[in-house]
Amino acid sequence: MKIQTELPENYLDLKKAANYTSSWRERLAAVQTLSSYKHEKVIDLLHNRVKADTVFAVQQAAFEALTKFGEDVTQPVRRKFELIKGAEKVFIRVKKSLPADHTVSDFADKLKRTRLDVYDAYEGDQGKNFLSWLGAKWQTI
């Protein structure tokens, strides 16, 4: 893929998507698109995604783009504990808000409706294992 030095015409839209907290997929797609544009603003945005994104796949994509640009950047490390501060309390609150006979599916639906940012971050982090991970989390609460 050819690296361009000017900003893309839709830079503001891509910047908004790269910072959109409720969709790690949109952030990843924006980072992947921006990785073709070696511009100061893009480089700053990618550095921010490496340091601050809650989803490792987004951090890794930004890291790879910056490395391709020849930037000095530290390899991101996958977080082992809470991705979002206070997420444990969110899980507890959601479970307590449901009837006693609710299912893990009810729990997942309510979490997605009430805290899409938390749902999305953990879905992005866990990947294909997300639903089984969420089920295990639900059982331990």
Side-chain angles (χ1 to χ4, degrees):
M1 185 175 265
K2 184 178 177 240
I3 295 177
Q4 301 176 44
T5 56
E6 73 283 350
L7 277 175
E9 288 181 23
N10 61 341
Y11 171 73
L12 293 177
D13 293 334
L14 289 168
K15 179 181 176 182
K16 184 178 178 183
N19 292 310
Y20 185 51
T21 58
S22 292
S23 177
W24 68 271
R25 287 178 181 86
E26 283 188 37
R27 293 194 311 274
L28 180 59
V31 164
Q32 290 169 335
T33 300
L34 288 167
S35 68
S36 298
Y37 298 90
K38 186 177 179 180
H39 186 278
E40 185 179 321
K41 288 183 176 185
V42 171
I43 290 170
D44 286 345
L45 188 145
L46 293 175
H47 274 290
N48 178 272
R49 290 297 86 207
V50 169
K51 292 177 196 162
D53 207 285
T54 54
V55 175
F56 183 75
V58 178
Q59 290 178 319
Q60 187 65 31
F63 169 79
E64 290 169 5
L66 289 168
T67 303
K68 182 173 71 174
F69 294 160
E71 290 291 308
D72 182 25
V73 61
T74 305
Q75 171 79 36
V77 178
R78 185 181 291 272
R79 292 184 181 125
K80 293 182 181 174
F81 302 106
E82 278 190 330
L83 298 179
I84 295 178
K85 187 175 180 172
E88 281 297 318
K89 291 178 183 177
V90 170
F91 294 136
I92 292 167
R93 214 174 303 125
V94 168
K95 186 166 184 175
K96 285 183 175 181
S97 73
L98 292 166
D101 62 345
H102 74 274
T103 65
V104 69
S105 179
D106 296 334
F107 176 73
D109 290 343
K110 176 101 185 224
L111 179 63
K112 190 173 186 176
R113 281 193 324 272
T114 58
R115 287 299 303 267
L116 183 57
D117 59 327
V118 173
Y119 183 95
D120 186 73
Y122 283 95
E123 180 191 32
D125 184 64
Q126 295 296 321
K128 295 175 186 171
N129 301 325
F130 173 67
L131 291 177
S132 60
W133 174 87
L134 190 62
K137 176 64 79 180
W138 171 74
Q139 287 181 331
T140 62
I141 296 174

